[in-house]
Amino acid sequence: QRQFLRRREVTESLTGPVTAPRPLLEAAHRYSSEARTISHVTLTPESLGEIALPDEAALKAFFDERKDAFRAPEYRKLSLLALTPEGLADPASVSDEDLRARYEQNKARYATPERRTIDQLRFGSTEDAAQAKASGKSFEELVTEQGQTVDAISLGMLTRNQVIDHVVGDAAFALAEGAVSEPVQGTFGPALVRVRAIEAGSTKPFEEVREELAGEIAAEHAQAETVKRHDAIEEERLGGMTLEEVAAKNGLEVRTVEAVDAEGKGPDGNAVDLPAPAPALLGSAFESDIGVENDAVRTEGNGYVWFDVTDILPARERTFEEARARVEDAWRNEETAKRLQAKADDLVKRLKDGATLADAASADGLTVQTASGIKREQGAGDLGRVVATRVFATPVEGFGSAQGPQENTQIVFQVTASETPPFDPDADAAKQLATRLSEALQNDIATSYVTHRQSELGATVNQAALNAALGDAPVN
């Protein structure tokens, strides 16, 4: 504690009185609050027309320069045995007796309670309410006398439980439709209550919810059966039975995945349908080997998947012919990006040479759009953060371009306006900013002081030992 107090005294003497100066606050406010407006056009691959493939020699040269990008990854062949509640559930096996018992237990779930449109006319005293009731005047006349409207005093269409004032609710649900109650001492004072309309309650009949009940009960049975079968299958696996033998004994099927890579894709590049979360199953499969017995992987529905690695196809280089389709796609994608960038650069040059964005857009068959409220820290909305960064690197009335939010798009823009709200030091946002910047300055000063003292004293840190102590890395 003595050492801690000494350190705190030194730190507080250095940083305690430090606060962010006004110029820094104003600069930070301008940086975070400045909003810009741009006019822009979007260049897409469609604006380039058809891009013809180069000759065979050029394609092969493109492939040779990027062979690693076209390598075939390691694939693994898997045998999978899935045990899931969904697969075991059999709604048809649920007895009629169980279905009816469940229906009676949960009848309230299928009931729609009665609702009533309730009007509540309050009075200054119970005597006033009684006189109004005895006057023989209609409820609407009493409402008008008080300078009210029926809509203003209506509580709406409510179930009994939805009426906040239970005294009013009890009175309302004891009345016939159109009837007016005797004076009621409600939470908010004496009142007359009228039931303007009644919507009868209803209960779904058994036959209407039969399938739903069967599905619920079957799912519950299947959950218990899954746990029971899992334990039995684990015993059978420990006893040396293969997946095929286990499947045959338990009425299940073994599914074969001919080839899947670590990302869950097949040789055709499409995702392989797997019965368990791909990261968990593939992570285990690619850490295993042929002939190794593996632990079951849990599925999202509380099921299990057992797997065997039956073959491994090592990663290898694809031949040009084998990778041709991928090579053509990659070449066309790269060429599209180059041409779009060149077109954007040409358009920016024309704008800087004096052409207007509207004229240039019209000449190229493009549509000029406007985006406002662009801020540094929030990005440019649908246009993305990359565009916002370029916008703030461009002067007002200046032109620029940036990669669009979609692949192979370019945004060409003109910064048309910039607005920064006045800095108000008394605003909550300004006070929060002052607190953050003051804390940052204090931390910087304390860090600089410690670094300076470490340098003076010749202090050193054995980073490897520190990492090991923190559990980050072993000591060599």
Side-chain angles (χ1 to χ4, degrees), residues 127-155:
E127 291 75 15
D128 291 343
Q131 290 177 6
K133 171 71 174 175
S135 70
K137 295 178 180 178
S138 70
F139 192 81
E140 283 77 6
E141 289 174 328
L142 296 176
V143 171
T144 302
E145 282 184 358
Q146 291 202 19
Q148 300 275 6
T149 65
V150 172
D151 287 343
I153 66 166
S154 176
L155 301 181

Side-chain angles (χ1 to χ4, degrees), residues 54-278:
D55 59 28
E56 191 87 348
L59 268 183
K60 285 184 176 179
F62 180 87
F63 168 75
D64 290 338
E65 292 169 1
R66 300 163 178 77
K67 275 189 175 181
D68 286 346
F70 300 107
R71 282 176 60 85
E74 177 183 309
Y75 291 102
R76 297 201 165 196
K77 184 177 181 179
L78 306 178
S79 292
L80 305 175
L81 175 62
L83 175 69
T84 64
E86 294 84 359
L88 296 178
D90 182 13
S93 67
V94 182
S95 69
D96 192 71
E97 181 181 355
D98 287 345
L99 289 173
R100 291 189 178 276
R102 175 65 64 90
Y103 176 73
E104 293 300 326
Q105 291 170 2
N106 296 274
K107 210 168 188 178
R109 198 170 92 195
Y110 304 109
T112 301
E114 177 185 302
R115 298 198 306 164
R116 297 188 169 204
T117 301
I118 304 170
D119 301 325
Q120 177 184 246
L121 181 61
R122 293 200 296 270
F123 292 85
S125 67
T126 302
E127 291 75 15
D128 291 343
Q131 290 177 6
K133 171 71 174 175
S135 70
K137 295 178 180 178
S138 70
F139 192 81
E140 283 77 6
E141 289 174 328
L142 296 176
V143 171
T144 302
E145 282 184 358
Q146 291 202 19
Q148 300 275 6
T149 65
V150 172
D151 287 343
I153 66 166
S154 176
L155 301 181
M157 177 72 82
L158 304 171
T159 65
R160 189 174 195 137
N161 290 336
Q162 289 175 329
V163 182
I164 297 175
D165 191 331
H166 295 304
V167 174
V168 172
D170 291 343
F173 277 80
L175 295 170
E177 184 172 338
V180 179
S181 73
E182 295 299 323
V184 172
Q185 187 60 44
T187 302
F188 303 103
L192 294 180
V193 176
R194 179 179 71 165
V195 174
R196 201 183 333 152
I198 296 177
E199 184 182 278
S202 63
T203 300
K204 290 182 180 180
F206 170 73
E207 291 300 331
E208 188 175 329
V209 298
R210 183 189 187 97
E211 289 187 12
E212 179 184 338
L213 292 169
E216 286 181 8
I217 297 173
E220 292 170 7
H221 292 171
Q223 288 283 355
E225 182 66 17
T226 299
V227 174
K228 179 180 176 181
R229 290 208 194 185
H230 166 267
D231 296 342
I233 290 174
E234 285 292 302
E235 290 292 332
E236 291 160 357
R237 292 282 282 167
L238 288 172
M241 292 180 67
T242 65
L243 286 184
E244 288 74 14
E245 292 169 338
V246 170
K249 183 176 179 180
N250 290 274
L252 302 173
E253 291 184 5
V254 173
R255 175 188 161 199
T256 299
V257 174
E258 292 295 337
V260 62
D261 66 15
E263 295 181 351
K265 295 180 180 179
D268 59 0
N270 295 323
V272 175
D273 181 31
L274 298 172

